[in-house]
Amino acid sequence: MTEDAADGICACYVIEEFPHVRFSHWNRRMVEITGYTMDEINRLGWYQTMYPDPESSQQAAQRMARMRDGDHLDAEEWEITRKDAGLRTVAISTTDIATEDGIPAVAAMMQDVTERKRAQQALADSRRENDLLVQAIPDMLLRVDRPGHYLS
């Protein structure tokens, strides 16, 4: 049902032993986004692989604890480290569910927003560069649209 979804979709629940979170669902898009299969991520650990920096890993674990208390993610952006060591920015949204055994779990949808973030940054850089260029011109500069209205 979710295998061909455009977004990464997964479900996980907390376990006491390492790696502290176990996934029960992991669609094909999750493999594309992270580079890991569900078996690999269950063996290696979500926090330990996606957030190799100890501080980031701890922040992600604390965020998961708050999610279990009902504080869900709504397209919250996180930077993850893929299997190939590439960095990706993902927007994650979550909700509470229960496993078939009735164990409390979290379902998540993940969108890779890396390219959108890069495009936004490139646009901001271009605007900043344009502003600096305009400020450096010693003459008065006017912007006018086609009908002749002054824009700036």
Side-chain angles (χ1 to χ4, degrees), residues 13-120:
Y13 56 95
V14 175
I15 57 175
E16 292 299 319
E17 65 275 359
F18 180 87
H20 311 295
V21 173
R22 174 140 310 131
F23 288 85
S24 58
H25 182 77
W26 189 270
N27 74 347
R28 198 175 343 215
R29 183 69 178 128
M30 287 295 293
V31 176
E32 292 170 6
I33 292 170
T34 67
Y36 291 96
T37 65
M38 185 171 74
D39 288 341
E40 289 174 314
I41 209 70
N42 277 336
R43 185 172 29 79
L44 300 170
W46 175 258
Y47 306 127
Q48 298 84 350
T49 56
M50 295 297 105
Y51 313 104
D53 171 63
E55 186 176 323
S56 296
S57 181
Q58 183 179 15
Q59 287 174 346
Q62 290 169 348
R63 187 65 178 101
M64 179 67 157
R66 290 195 316 270
M67 282 187 290
R68 286 192 306 273
D69 292 333
D71 183 16
H72 299 291
L73 301 172
D74 185 15
E76 192 170 297
E77 292 183 2
W78 286 79
E79 186 173 75
I80 63 167
T81 301
R82 288 178 35 87
K83 185 177 184 178
D84 63 9
L87 298 176
R88 304 303 287 178
T89 302
V90 293
I92 306 173
S93 298
T94 62
T95 191
D96 291 332
I97 60 169
T99 65
E100 292 175 5
D101 302 333
I103 298 169
V106 172
M109 290 183 57
M110 185 179 300
Q111 292 181 323
D112 185 339
V113 297
T114 306
E115 297 310 317
R116 183 188 76 197
K117 297 291 284 183
R118 285 182 184 154
Q120 288 171 337

